[in-house]
Amino acid sequence: MYLYFYDSLTNQKKHLAELHRVEARLLDLGINGRIERLSVLKNAKEMVTDGIKQGADTIIAVGNDATFRRLIPIVAAYEVTLGFIPIEESRIAKILGIPMGEHACDTLSRRFVQKVDLGKVKNSYFFASLEFPDRGVKIECDGQYRVIPTHPQSTVSICNLGSIFESKALAASMVSNPCDGRLEAVMREPATSGWRSHFGSSRSEMRSVFSAKKFRVEGIEKDSKVVVDHDQVMKTPLTVEVLPQRLALIVGKYRMI
Amino acid sequence: MSIFQNAKTSANPAADKSETIIGPSVKVEGDFKGESNVIVAGCVHGTLITTQNLTITETAKIHADIGGQNIKISGEVHGNILAKERLEITQSAQVTGDIEANILSIEAGAKIEGRCATTIPSENESGASPLTHPSAKKEKELKVGKVA
């Protein structure tokens, strides 16, 4: 059984026509199902878990990237398949090879399922990356060695897929393979600094990459902020580990993973 | 879109290769044991062993025993080196420690201090002619200073 999770943005008038087309197409394809609409009075977790308890085995996020991100920690705890119907510009949809709006219904009906890894941090899950906006963290990889960035402007992230929600080109932001059973700690040193940046120095961005199954992250001097999938905020110290093949996703023919 | 394009287009550059990069602004402490290609441009203290290729660039400073399939050294290494296949030491390299490799290449200008041994696989292991793979183990001592 399909459960369609409509984000609150689907209540906007500009999306109504597209949603009508989506619903008609789902009916034509015979994959229509129960619809749950998020509102200020409803809790996303309760809506989805109730649906799963009542027999839903495929959860479809209808909305944008934030909708998809919101569902990942919820569905990761269950043996269900996650699909996506983007009704706004979406980076995740491009990665999964899912077209916009009603065309996504055809991708769903073909039901090509790919299992991907998820990252786990403190009882929460992430699909793309953890970002450490504060400087000064040290990372222990698989309990074997410690990595310490020495450049004061270094930015640190732990990626299952990459920092895909940043403004840079999508292919360049995907630094990790989400199907390899490993996470990557990525440290970037800014491409130019000081007076060089004013003269358009062509030095490329310096990057360090460490692959491991488990990371322990600590702030060097004080607790640092951690942003989980561009959404949730946590504090160090924390342990990050990979859950291989944890999430079943419906993907399209032209997926990037 | 081209009709000759593969059905599964893998646009993820990370999907096809796995590589560890230790950049110039990173310090690594402890025992690094990997199964991917490793490029080192920063500092390493401890041990650094991979089953694949290891490249040590000019900016690297390593105080560790290192090991790999093929190793190319252009930076500073203080520790023993074991290359299962080929060890290439370039002009800018500074090595302090014992070296062991199957095939050894040292460029003029490289600085080496330590014992140096080339271990050749036996005939039945490689199947090659004795001319190309002598059965004896060559070993030679190199003194401190530049290799001419």
Side-chain angles (χ1 to χ4, degrees):
Chain A
M1 190 180 89
Y2 285 75
L3 171 69
Y4 292 88
F5 176 89
Y6 282 37
D7 203 341
S8 50
L9 71 99
T10 58
N11 296 326
Q12 294 172 13
K13 207 172 179 180
K14 63 179 179 180
H15 296 309
L16 281 179
E18 183 68 56
L19 281 174
H20 286 315
R21 285 194 294 273
V22 166
E23 286 166 12
R25 186 70 186 139
L26 291 174
L27 204 58
D28 288 345
L29 294 165
I31 53 170
N32 56 320
R34 179 175 161 181
I35 294 174
E36 289 284 358
R37 294 175 196 274
L38 186 66
S39 68
V40 287
L41 299 172
K42 289 184 177 176
N43 177 285
K45 190 173 182 182
E46 281 177 15
M47 286 163 59
V48 174
T49 50
D50 286 350
I52 292 170
K53 282 172 188 167
Q54 288 170 20
D57 56 4
T58 305
I59 312 296
I60 310 293
V62 184
N64 57 14
D65 283 346
T67 317
F68 187 85
R69 283 200 308 255
R70 180 179 287 164
L71 288 191
I72 283 175
I74 303 170
V75 300
Y78 300 93
E79 291 288 326
V80 293
T81 304
L82 181 62
F84 187 28
I85 299 178
I87 57 166
E88 283 185 351
E89 186 70 22
S90 164
R91 290 196 145 209
I92 288 176
K94 281 180 187 162
I95 291 164
L96 301 182
I98 299 173
M100 286 270 288
E102 64 174 316
H103 302 293
C105 304
D106 298 299
T107 305
L108 291 182
S109 74
R110 282 184 208 112
R111 203 181 169 85
F112 189 91
V113 176
Q114 182 163 351
K115 287 205 164 186
V116 296
D117 308 335
L118 279 183
K120 187 182 181 192
V121 52
K122 285 188 179 175
N123 296 328
S124 187
Y125 301 88
F126 65 94
F127 174 62
S129 67
L130 296 182
E131 307 289 338
F132 297 84
D134 296 339
R135 316 294 179 203
V137 291
K138 62 177 175 182
I139 299 179
E140 189 179 275
C141 307
D142 283 337
Q144 292 179 340
Y145 59 94
R146 286 167 302 286
V147 182
I148 304 159
T150 53
H151 194 282
Q153 298 299 317
S154 288
T155 58
V156 178
S157 56
I158 293 179
C159 304
N160 182 40
L161 179 58
S163 307
I164 58 169
F165 303 111
E166 288 179 2
S167 56
K168 64 174 104 172
L170 193 57
S173 65
M174 293 167 65
V175 295
S176 183
N177 180 1
C179 307
D180 63 354
R182 298 180 78 82
L183 298 173
E184 273 75 30
V186 181
M187 286 147 211
R188 292 187 181 87
E189 184 187 317
T192 54
S193 59
W195 60 269
R196 283 186 180 191
S197 57
H198 296 292
F199 297 100
S201 169
S202 60
R203 189 163 69 104
S204 59
E205 183 186 66
M206 301 298 233
R207 196 168 73 182
S208 300
V209 182
F210 298 89
S211 177
K213 289 181 177 173
K214 194 173 185 178
F215 295 98
R216 172 82 184 157
V217 187
E218 290 175 16
I220 290 174
E221 290 175 359
K222 54 173 185 171
D223 290 351
S224 300
K225 195 167 80 173
V226 186
V227 182
V228 183
D229 262 356
H230 215 67
D231 189 25
Q232 197 180 354
V233 177
M234 294 180 180
K235 286 268 184 187
T236 58
L238 44 82
T239 301
V240 187
E241 60 185 320
V242 67
L243 302 175
Q245 312 282 299
R246 183 58 176 262
L247 184 65
L249 289 176
I250 298 177
V251 294
K253 188 178 179 183
Y254 298 111
R255 64 195 177 277
M256 297 169 78
I257 53 175
Chain B
M1 187 142 307
S2 165
I3 57 168
F4 300 107
Q5 190 162 353
N6 195 344
K8 187 198 176 307
T9 53
S10 177
N12 184 355
D16 303 325
K17 59 174 182 180
S18 173
E19 205 164 61
T20 299
I21 305 169
I22 301 174
S25 60
V26 165
K27 191 166 99 177
V28 175
E29 295 173 347
D31 298 329
F32 180 99
K33 284 174 188 167
E35 293 178 351
S36 60
N37 293 333
V38 180
I39 299 171
V40 186
C43 294
V44 179
H45 291 257
T47 55
L48 175 58
I49 294 166
T50 178
T51 55
Q52 300 295 314
N53 300 335
L54 173 62
T55 305
I56 295 165
T57 66
E58 286 182 28
T59 55
K61 286 185 179 173
I62 295 177
H63 292 262
D65 292 341
I66 63 173
Q69 192 75 16
N70 297 295
I71 303 178
K72 183 179 180 181
I73 301 175
S74 303
E76 205 177 309
V77 179
H78 300 272
N80 299 331
I81 302 166
L82 173 64
K84 284 188 178 172
E85 283 296 321
R86 185 184 173 91
L87 173 62
E88 190 180 339
I89 300 175
T90 68
Q91 181 190 347
S92 57
Q94 292 180 51
V95 177
T96 309
D98 295 344
I99 294 168
E100 193 173 343
N102 191 12
I103 301 164
L104 179 61
S105 159
I106 304 174
E107 208 173 271
K111 292 172 186 167
I112 301 173
E113 183 181 344
R115 205 171 60 86
C116 179
T118 51
T119 317
I120 309 300
S122 60
E123 282 174 44
N124 55 4
E125 190 183 321
S126 64
S129 76
L131 281 175
T132 52
H133 294 287
S135 58
K137 181 181 176 180
K138 285 184 186 171
E139 204 172 273
K140 58 183 175 183
E141 297 284 341
L142 289 179
K143 290 181 180 176
V144 182
K146 285 194 171 186
V147 176

